Amino acid sequence: MNRRLAGALLLCGLSVTAVTTPQAYLKLGVLTPNGVVGIRWTRLIQYFVTNRDVNGVTAPQLQATMARVFGTWGSVPGVALTHGFTGFTVSEPFVADGINVVGFRARPDLERTLAAATFEIDNRTGQIIESDIFFNTAFLWSISAAGQSPRYDLESVGLHEVGHLLGLGHSGLGETEVRPEGGRRVLAKRAVMFPIAYPAGNIEDRTLEADDRAGIGDIYASGAVSAGLGSIGGRVTLNGTGFFGAHVTALNTRTGELVGGFTLNNNGDFAIGHLAPGVYVVRAEPLDDADVTSYFDEKTTVNINFKPAYYSSLVAVPRGGSGPRIEIKVVSK
Amino acid sequence: MKALVGVLLLSAGFVAPAAAQTPRWEFGVGALLTDREAAGTTSATLLSPGGDTLTLFRTTNRVTSGLGVESQLSWRLRERLRAEVAFGWVRADLESRISSDFEGVPNVSLTQGVQQFRGELAVAYRLLQRGRLSAFVRGAAGGFREITTDKVLVGNGTSASLGGVAHVRVRQAPSGLFGRMALRLEARVVVRKGGIKFGDDGARVSPTLVAGVVIGR
């Protein structure tokens, strides 16, 4: 089996301060001889928990929290996840030892990273072989049901990291502002997978949003639920030419749910899946922060020099399919 | 349009003379004009750490006024009471007016064409007959199917309506297929529920006009 530890590309963390972009879920992918394929688990996800207590959280409490977190992702309609806690271990996360480990580590050097996930992947198939999650003890943690400032909520951050473990990248569904001391502060967001956490004490991220559910459903959903949902596909063009990295957002006019995607090739093609049938408003916008590495490989060229724009008509999404491809025409800033 | 409904309903207050029976059967066809229907507002929002919302943009939704055709077949049940089955087709637009864009995109209206196929059963009671004029009050219930013009989405719903009908006789012959011909003008208020999932899911109310001709015997 051709394995590699995909560190730079597939180390995904949750930051207290980071970049900002608009809305969209994003699946993690790996380049294979047959092109880019999404990464996913194809077998039982068995995980260990590092047997070490930290300030405010014991190892059994961490294990119980992770069980809730896996249960939350597995409760998305149509999503079939098989997972199980294997036991406590002395192993540390972020060690390529062939087992999935969740635990705390002291990483004061990562002063803006609350937690992170890494993967080992079969780069021929995209199958995830191993994934670890660590929570940074440079921050204080809480398992309090109502949250406990100034501690970060372990369940909220854990839900984000397990989203990565399952194959999701960062969502852009959020807005931030620059902090005087550096980095950014979240103003508002609508996805657990947004790369910046709510402030300490907040527990809003214990609940998955439409963007999160669509993302995980796009990877794992099967059966009748998936067949009853639809998608929007098309391209974003600037002066008639497609480009990489535009955010495309779909608003369900009945429910107000936001789900999005990105243009992921130089033809400007995008696809937003796992949408409830209905009538949508579709909007394209740039990643309006120069740091795009929270979303894409640092070597990727992303066009951010265009104005946001709406698709010229409402878009109908059918049950179990997609409507005609659309073209969203944008203009330069 | 609302004023017309008022006139027709007020006409119900006249006492009808013991006039001749209404025709045994009638067939009519006419143009159908529907007024716009509000479909609520939808906001694309984010949640702030304090639980407030930040609006990315807002949509004000409605079904635009539509134009179509309708045909009716009615028959006499009692001296003044008629039953009617009606079928109609209307072309309108689903419309979302975008406003309050967080990044300053100018307001814009987005549309999606929709066809509505309507069918209903109705009863009409004649309230007035004076000279060439007959006036009825009409109530109906039925269903409809909406299909977007790109044929991607289909939705079914139910409807009910109440209104007034005026017939102005233009021809009265003792026999023949077109023995009796009249102009038909109708105003009704239609309440619809269901259809394509667009905007809020409450009932939609719109005044509707039908104008055409009827023949009967």
Side-chain angles (χ1 to χ4, degrees):
Chain A
M1 182 178 290
N2 183 12
R3 297 182 178 187
R4 69 187 177 98
L5 188 63
L9 176 62
L10 295 171
L11 188 152
C12 295
L14 180 63
S15 303
V16 287
T17 60
V19 296
T20 180
T21 53
Q23 48 280 356
Y25 74 81
L26 181 65
K27 296 183 291 185
L28 293 173
V30 63
L31 184 61
T32 74
N34 298 319
V36 176
V37 298
I39 68 170
R40 68 192 304 268
W41 292 89
T42 56
R43 57 184 172 82
L44 173 67
I45 306 168
Q46 294 178 295
Y47 62 94
F48 292 82
V49 170
T50 304
N51 192 14
R52 184 172 59 246
D53 299 344
V54 298
N55 182 353
V57 184
T58 65
Q61 287 171 331
L62 172 59
Q63 183 269 320
T65 302
M66 296 308 294
R68 285 197 300 276
V69 162
F70 274 101
T72 300
W73 282 108
S75 68
V76 174
V79 170
L81 294 176
T82 54
H83 55 84
F85 169 63
T86 306
F88 293 100
T89 179
V90 295
S91 296
E92 299 279 354
F94 280 31
V95 177
D97 48 13
I99 60 173
N100 307 311
V101 179
V102 179
F104 289 96
R105 289 189 68 173
R107 292 296 302 270
D109 54 313
L110 301 175
E111 60 184 11
R112 290 178 183 165
T113 302
L114 289 168
T118 56
F119 305 87
E120 188 175 1
I121 296 164
D122 183 334
N123 62 10
R124 294 173 307 171
T125 65
Q127 181 180 339
I128 302 172
I129 298 164
E130 178 191 343
S131 180
D132 291 351
I133 293 173
F134 96 92
F135 297 93
N136 193 347
T137 57
F139 301 89
L140 293 172
W141 295 95
S142 166
I143 57 164
S144 169
Q148 183 185 5
S149 187
R151 296 173 178 268
Y152 283 92
D153 183 53
L154 186 67
E155 184 170 339
S156 297
V157 177
L159 197 62
H160 177 102
E161 294 308 324
V162 170
H164 288 318
L165 178 145
L166 295 173
L168 282 175
H170 279 145
S171 165
L173 206 155
E175 296 288 346
T176 63
E177 66 178 4
V178 176
R179 300 196 315 178
E181 63 271 31
R184 287 176 175 266
R185 180 179 74 86
V186 66
L187 292 173
K189 62 178 186 169
R190 205 72 195 234
V192 168
M193 296 310 297
F194 188 67
I196 306 176
Y198 280 126
N202 191 293
I203 60 170
E204 291 287 343
D205 272 345
R206 290 182 184 180
T207 304
L208 297 176
E209 297 284 356
D211 196 62
D212 305 306
R213 294 192 298 271
I216 202 67
D218 201 4
I219 300 174
Y220 292 102
S222 58
V225 170
S226 187
L229 301 173
S231 63
I232 296 173
R235 63 193 295 247
V236 180
T237 59
L238 176 62
N239 300 323
T241 303
F243 59 93
F244 186 97
H247 277 124
V248 183
T249 306
L251 171 75
N252 186 315
T253 59
R254 169 159 289 191
T255 64
E257 291 184 338
L258 276 171
V259 180
F262 293 86
T263 60
L264 293 174
N265 60 30
N266 291 332
N267 192 45
D269 294 318
F270 71 90
I272 305 171
H274 223 68
L275 299 174
V279 180
Y280 285 77
V281 173
V282 183
R283 183 179 186 271
E285 59 194 345
L287 280 165
D288 45 13
D289 190 292
D291 183 2
V292 297
T293 55
S294 284
Y295 298 88
F296 302 116
D297 188 298
E298 59 192 2
K299 290 176 285 190
T300 304
T301 300
V302 174
N303 186 342
I304 59 171
N305 189 32
F306 67 95
K307 295 179 180 177
Y310 293 90
Y311 178 57
S312 55
S313 67
L314 294 170
V315 178
V317 174
R319 185 179 306 279
S322 62
R325 281 174 58 83
I326 65 174
E327 180 179 355
I328 308 172
K329 298 175 181 178
V330 299
V331 299
S332 298
K333 283 182 177 173
Chain B
M1 190 175 292
K2 289 176 181 175
L4 178 58
V5 174
V7 169
L8 289 170
L9 291 177
L10 277 175
S11 69
F14 288 97
V15 177
Q21 292 183 329
T22 60
R24 184 180 302 277
W25 62 266
E26 283 183 332
F27 175 76
V29 63
L32 178 68
L33 177 65
T34 63
D35 201 2
R36 59 177 177 260
E37 303 169 346
T41 60
T42 309
S43 295
T45 59
L46 308 179
L47 289 178
S48 73
D52 298 328
T53 58
L54 184 155
T55 299
L56 295 174
F57 59 90
R58 178 175 292 114
T59 74
T60 302
N61 311 304
R62 68 178 186 174
V63 181
T64 66
S65 58
L67 186 62
V69 295
E70 182 180 280
S71 62
Q72 316 96 19
L73 178 65
S74 72
W75 59 96
R76 187 176 65 220
L77 295 177
R78 296 280 189 274
E79 179 182 330
R80 298 184 179 191
L81 186 65
R82 302 187 66 80
E84 181 176 297
V85 58
F87 296 97
W89 170 87
V90 178
R91 169 66 168 80
D93 283 328
L94 310 177
E95 181 184 77
S96 288
R97 174 79 174 162
I98 310 294
S99 61
S100 305
D101 187 279
F102 183 74
E103 296 183 88
V105 178
N107 295 353
V108 62
S109 287
L110 310 176
T111 61
Q112 167 68 249
V114 64
Q115 299 183 79
Q116 300 166 354
F117 298 90
R118 305 172 170 204
E120 60 182 12
L121 291 171
V123 291
Y125 184 77
R126 191 184 67 196
L127 299 167
L128 169 70
Q129 181 167 355
R130 183 163 297 172
R132 294 170 176 267
L133 174 68
S134 299
F136 301 81
V137 62
R138 178 184 183 275
F144 66 93
R145 167 166 286 194
E146 287 182 325
I147 304 174
T148 55
T149 50
D150 59 10
K151 297 181 174 58
V152 168
L153 265 182
V154 176
N156 298 322
T158 57
S159 65
S161 66
L162 181 65
V165 184
H167 282 191
V168 178
R169 193 176 68 244
V170 295
R171 174 186 166 89
Q172 180 75 62
S175 62
L177 179 62
F178 299 98
R180 183 182 187 279
M181 181 178 293
L183 300 178
R184 171 176 170 136
L185 182 63
E186 178 180 355
R188 62 177 88 129
V189 175
V190 180
V191 181
R192 299 195 302 133
K193 178 85 172 167
I196 287 175
K197 297 182 186 303
F198 169 69
D200 64 21
D201 56 1
R204 295 175 186 166
V205 180
S206 67
T208 298
L209 276 181
V210 184
V213 296
V214 294
I215 59 173
R217 292 195 63 182

